[in-house]
Amino acid sequence: QVQPVESGGGSVQTGGSLRLSCVVPQSTYPRFCMGWFRQAPGKEREGVATLDRDGDIRYGDFVKGRFTISRDNTKGVLYLQMNSLKPDDTGMYYCGVDCINSMRGAYSWQGQGTQVTVSS
């Protein structure tokens, strides 16, 4: 059982930046593929970024170079740096561990989420 804990969400204006963090036990690295997904009210989950066990990275098509996923193995933290935020990026952002279908937001374990709100 792995319980990720997210933080770093908040409210920003269009064009602003946020950095999300996800803390997991250090033993999780590099055993599992990890990533971020999001869900807005009334919408389905969508994968934001994935970092697999080999270090390969994948982003959702909507990211278009605005977000960067990274991890600090020594601290056991997965990050998502988000720049040039748009109102469409508003939603709950979740950290996932052990990818099942990461681009659909399916993981074996996920955190409680952190809210991101982007105003125009």
Side-chain angles (χ1 to χ4, degrees):
Q1 183 74 21
V2 177
Q3 183 57 57
V5 179
E6 305 97 335
S7 63
S11 297
V12 296
Q13 293 187 328
T14 297
S17 298
L18 287 171
R19 188 176 78 159
L20 307 184
S21 299
C22 171
V23 178
V24 294
Q26 280 186 262
S27 60
T28 302
Y29 301 109
R31 296 170 55 201
F32 296 110
C33 167
M34 296 181 62
W36 294 91
F37 65 95
R38 69 185 188 185
Q39 188 166 24
K43 295 185 178 180
E44 295 185 351
R45 293 182 176 190
E46 58 181 348
V48 178
T50 304
L51 179 58
D52 71 17
R53 292 178 296 177
D54 295 327
D56 293 332
I57 292 173
R58 184 179 178 186
Y59 293 103
D61 291 340
F62 60 86
V63 171
K64 299 188 186 297
R66 299 181 297 132
F67 300 173
T68 302
I69 188 172
S70 62
R71 69 185 179 203
D72 185 332
N73 291 345
T74 62
K75 297 180 180 179
V77 182
L78 182 74
Y79 298 103
L80 182 68
Q81 177 67 44
M82 304 189 294
N83 300 324
S84 301
L85 284 163
K86 307 173 183 178
D88 284 348
D89 294 317
T90 294
M92 189 70 80
Y93 283 69
Y94 300 86
C95 174
V97 178
D98 192 18
C99 304
I100 297 173
N101 187 333
S102 63
M103 287 297 104
R104 291 184 178 270
Y107 294 83
S108 296
W109 303 289
Q110 64 185 66
Q112 296 298 310
T114 186
Q115 177 68 37
V116 172
T117 303
V118 185
S119 58
S120 57

